[in-house]
Coordinates of all heavy atoms in Angstrom, one line a residue:
D60 N -24.8 -7.9 -10.6 CA -24.6 -6.6 -10.3 C -22.9 -6.4 -10.1 O -22.4 -5.9 -9.1 CB -25.3 -5.9 -9.1 CG -24.9 -4.5 -8.9 OD1 -24.3 -3.9 -9.8 OD2 -25.3 -4.0 -7.8
Y63 N -21.5 -7.0 -6.8 CA -22.2 -6.5 -5.6 C -23.5 -7.2 -5.2 O -24.4 -6.7 -4.6 CB -22.5 -5.0 -5.8 CG -21.3 -4.1 -5.8 CD1 -20.6 -3.9 -6.9 CD2 -20.9 -3.4 -4.7 CE1 -19.4 -3.0 -6.9 CE2 -19.6 -2.6 -4.6 CZ -19.1 -2.5 -5.7 OH -17.8 -1.8 -5.8
V100 N -19.8 -5.5 1.2 CA -21.0 -5.3 0.7 C -22.2 -6.0 1.4 O -22.5 -7.1 1.2 CB -21.2 -5.7 -0.8 CG1 -22.6 -5.4 -1.4 CG2 -20.0 -5.1 -1.6
H103 N -26.9 -5.9 1.7 CA -27.7 -7.0 1.1 C -26.8 -8.2 0.6 O -25.6 -8.1 0.7 CB -28.3 -6.4 -0.2 CG -27.4 -5.7 -1.1 ND1 -27.2 -4.3 -1.1 CD2 -26.6 -6.1 -2.1 CE1 -26.4 -4.1 -2.0 NE2 -25.9 -5.0 -2.6
F142 N -31.8 2.7 -8.7 CA -31.7 2.5 -10.1 C -32.9 2.8 -10.9 O -33.4 1.8 -11.7 CB -31.1 1.2 -10.4 CG -29.8 0.9 -9.8 CD1 -29.7 -0.3 -9.0 CD2 -28.6 1.7 -9.8 CE1 -28.5 -0.6 -8.3 CE2 -27.5 1.4 -9.2 CZ -27.4 0.2 -8.4
F164 N -31.8 -2.1 -3.5 CA -31.1 -2.0 -4.9 C -32.0 -3.0 -5.8 O -33.3 -3.1 -5.6 CB -29.7 -2.3 -4.9 CG -28.9 -1.3 -4.1 CD1 -28.6 -1.5 -2.7 CD2 -28.5 -0.2 -4.7 CE1 -27.8 -0.5 -2.0 CE2 -27.8 0.8 -4.0 CZ -27.4 0.5 -2.7
Y165 N -31.4 -3.8 -6.6 CA -32.1 -4.6 -7.6 C -32.9 -5.7 -6.8 O -32.5 -6.1 -5.6 CB -31.2 -5.3 -8.6 CG -30.3 -4.3 -9.5 CD1 -29.0 -4.1 -9.3 CD2 -31.1 -3.7 -10.5 CE1 -28.3 -3.4 -10.1 CE2 -30.4 -2.9 -11.4 CZ -29.0 -2.7 -11.2 OH -28.4 -1.8 -12.1
Q168 N -31.2 -8.5 -4.9 CA -30.3 -8.1 -3.8 C -31.2 -7.8 -2.6 O -31.3 -6.6 -2.2 CB -29.6 -6.8 -4.2 CG -28.4 -7.2 -5.3 CD -27.9 -5.8 -5.9 OE1 -28.6 -4.9 -6.2 NE2 -26.6 -5.7 -6.1
R198 N -13.9 -0.9 1.9 CA -14.7 0.2 1.2 C -16.1 -0.2 1.5 O -16.5 -1.3 1.0 CB -14.3 0.3 -0.3 CG -15.3 1.3 -1.0 CD -16.4 0.7 -1.6 NE -17.2 1.7 -2.4 CZ -18.4 1.4 -2.8 NH1 -19.1 0.2 -2.6 NH2 -19.1 2.1 -3.7
D200 N -20.0 -0.5 1.2 CA -20.9 -0.2 0.2 C -22.2 0.4 0.9 O -22.7 -0.1 1.9 CB -21.2 -1.4 -0.5 CG -22.1 -1.3 -1.6 OD1 -21.6 -0.5 -2.7 OD2 -23.2 -1.9 -1.9
A201 N -22.7 1.4 0.4 CA -24.2 1.7 0.7 C -24.4 1.9 2.1 O -25.3 1.5 2.7 CB -25.1 0.6 0.2
E242 N -19.1 4.5 1.4 CA -19.8 5.2 0.4 C -21.1 5.7 1.1 O -21.9 5.0 1.6 CB -20.2 4.3 -0.8 CG -21.2 4.9 -1.8 CD -22.0 3.8 -2.6 OE1 -22.3 2.8 -2.0 OE2 -22.1 4.0 -3.8
H311 N -16.4 3.4 -10.4 CA -16.9 2.3 -11.2 C -18.5 2.5 -11.6 O -19.0 1.7 -12.3 CB -16.7 1.0 -10.5 CG -17.6 0.9 -9.2 ND1 -17.2 1.8 -8.2 CD2 -18.5 0.3 -8.8 CE1 -17.9 1.5 -7.2 NE2 -18.9 0.5 -7.6
D312 N -19.0 3.6 -11.0 CA -20.5 3.8 -11.3 C -20.6 5.0 -12.2 O -19.5 5.7 -12.6 CB -21.2 4.2 -10.0 CG -21.3 2.9 -9.1 OD1 -21.4 1.8 -9.7 OD2 -21.3 3.1 -7.9
R392 N -23.7 0.7 -16.7 CA -22.3 1.1 -16.1 C -21.2 0.2 -16.6 O -20.1 0.6 -16.5 CB -22.4 1.0 -14.5 CG -23.4 2.1 -13.9 CD -23.5 1.8 -12.4 NE -24.4 0.6 -12.3 CZ -24.5 -0.1 -11.1 NH1 -23.9 0.3 -10.1 NH2 -25.4 -1.1 -11.0
R396 N -16.4 -0.4 -17.5 CA -15.8 -1.3 -17.0 C -15.2 -2.2 -17.9 O -15.2 -3.5 -17.8 CB -16.9 -2.0 -16.1 CG -17.4 -1.3 -15.0 CD -18.7 -1.9 -14.3 NE -19.2 -0.9 -13.2 CZ -20.2 -1.2 -12.4 NH1 -20.9 -2.4 -12.6 NH2 -20.6 -0.4 -11.4
Ligands
NOJ1 C1 -23.0 1.0 -4.7 C2 -22.0 0.4 -5.7 O1 -21.0 1.4 -5.9 C3 -22.7 -0.1 -6.9 O2 -21.8 -0.5 -8.0 C4 -23.7 -1.1 -6.6 O3 -24.5 -1.4 -7.7 C5 -24.5 -0.7 -5.4 N1 -23.9 -0.1 -4.4 C6 -25.2 -2.0 -4.8 O4 -24.4 -2.7 -4.2

Side-chain angles (χ1 to χ4, degrees):
D60 183 15
Y63 284 90
V100 188
H103 49 265
F142 302 124
F164 296 96
Y165 296 108
Q168 291 166 316
R198 179 268 185 191
D200 190 61
E242 180 200 36
H311 62 293
D312 291 327
R392 294 167 290 163
R396 297 173 177 180

